Amino acid sequence: QVHLVESGGGSVQAGGSLRLSCAASGDSYGSVSMGWFRQTPGKEREGVAALDIDGSTTYIYAVQGRFTISKDNAKNILYLQMNSLKPEDTAMYYCAAALVPPERFSSVFDELRRGYWGQGTQVTVSS
């Protein structure tokens, strides 16, 4: 079981920065992949950035070069540093975690969709 609590959302102007945090608790933190998703009203939740158990990262094209996912293992906190924010980044951002199966047949984002979720934190970017 993994419990996730996000924080750090807010309102910024275009070009600004925010850092989201996701505090994770549970007894399987070392064997989970983690990531960030976002969702706007009427649209499906989309994967934004993922951090796999081997340390590899995955980003969607729209945020490459602007967002950075990282994890503080000592504090059990996942971060998403968001720079050069654009109005189209406005969304509810969710932290996700998934226990990594012995054999993997799905993308890390698809695995995360089937995992644990936080309650979300709102990011609003004004032009």
Side-chain angles (χ1 to χ4, degrees):
Q1 185 77 18
V2 178
H3 184 60
L4 306 169
V5 179
E6 303 99 330
S7 61
S11 297
V12 296
Q13 290 191 327
S17 298
L18 283 173
R19 188 178 76 162
L20 306 183
S21 300
C22 173
S25 61
D27 58 6
S28 299
Y29 186 76
S31 58
V32 303
S33 59
M34 299 188 73
W36 292 94
F37 287 69
R38 65 187 181 187
Q39 188 172 25
T40 54
K43 293 188 176 181
E44 290 188 0
R45 194 172 297 188
E46 68 169 350
V48 175
L51 180 61
D52 214 333
I53 57 173
D54 62 357
S56 61
T57 57
T58 302
Y59 298 94
I60 58 171
Y61 179 78
V63 307
Q64 285 180 3
R66 300 189 296 122
F67 291 11
T68 303
I69 189 171
S70 62
K71 185 171 67 175
D72 185 327
N73 289 321
K75 297 180 178 179
N76 285 358
I77 298 176
L78 182 75
Y79 298 104
L80 184 68
Q81 178 66 43
M82 305 186 295
N83 298 328
S84 302
L85 283 162
K86 304 176 180 180
E88 51 262 45
D89 294 318
T90 296
M92 184 71 78
Y93 282 72
Y94 296 90
C95 176
L99 298 175
V100 175
E103 295 185 30
R104 309 180 73 174
F105 301 101
S106 303
S107 71
V108 63
F109 282 134
D110 285 342
E111 289 180 348
L112 288 169
R113 285 189 179 90
R114 296 189 291 268
Y116 303 93
W117 293 93
Q119 82 289 349
T121 185
Q122 178 69 36
V123 172
T124 302
V125 185
S126 58
S127 58

